[in-house]
Amino acid sequence: MDIYFLGTNAGVPTLQRNVTSVALRLLEERRTMWLFDCGEGTQQQVLRSPLKLSKLEKIFITHLHGDHLFGLPGLLSSRAYQGGTSPLTVYGPAGLKQYIDMSLELSQSRINYELDVVEHGGGLIFEDEQFKVEAALLEHRIDSYGYRVTEKDKPGKLDAEAMAKYGIRPGPLYGKLKRGEPVELEDGRIVQPQEVLGEPKKGRIVTVLGDTRPCRNAVLLSEGANLVIHEATFLHELAETAHEYHHSTALQAAETAKAAQAGGLIMTHFSSRYKDMEQLQELLDEAKSVFPNSMLAEEHVLFQIPC
């Protein structure tokens, strides 16, 4: 479970950085990849990366501003040419389906895989036996959502000594107990999973926030997360500008992570005025003064999600 940034700039692409897109790789967990936002040029960034569109399972759009969305029609229409023929679900605010349908219809694009577009207004938007994804409205010029991805706890390891006590040998019963199912022995005894399993392995939480001013929902979505991805468009000396344009400063991103008691913070969505890493270092220094475990997003760099 790791994060790969395909775009980290705000507004428009520059020679140094592309516009917003973040990949959550779940190769070990479910052999798939999820994408958060799809700014212009995202599919070209994918070609320059170790990511495979054949593994793409879900796309989560935070809001309908172009720097988070304009790469979507192209990626959807060419995905199959890169081996992506499995079903794909795209989640996002109201209006997303109209945008996708119109773009594909007017360009006469053919989608030869199952494409499902789910518009939502927040709340629980996806859940299965491994993960759940919750969304909440942030504070931006248009409806902008943050997403909280929760990996469900995994069963603990089987205790060999406890298994031997019951005379259970490797085989189908192992699998049932590992899945949390009770089993019946030949002598009629019932063995409950908690009798032979160690402590469950705690699942990780990743929060990806769309464009936003500091707000309560950003903190709630980030509460106790192992990693928070938060926009940091400006240094705090431009706090008034950030407020006017419904964005956040690096300091405000750090304050959100601190208030949420998150494990780590990665800042992204940088203004084009910060052209190189030396200038971005000022944003990092500002954030670290409040939340020491702060990092800068870097394109084509893999970030492991800590346990």
Side-chain angles (χ1 to χ4, degrees), residues 8-11 20 67-68 211 231-233 247 267-271:
T8 61
N9 212 55
T20 299
D67 57 323
H68 296 253
D211 291 2
E231 69 133 292
T233 309
H247 286 296
M267 296 177 293
T268 186
H269 198 267
F270 308 120
S271 168

Side-chain angles (χ1 to χ4, degrees), residues 13 41 44 48 59 77 84 88 90 96 108 130 184 211 259 279 285-286 298:
Q44 293 174 304
R48 300 185 184 100
I59 301 175
S77 62
L88 174 63
V90 185
L96 178 62
Q108 298 186 29
Q130 286 182 297
E184 183 176 357
D211 291 2
Q279 290 178 303
D285 292 342
E286 185 172 271
E298 295 183 61

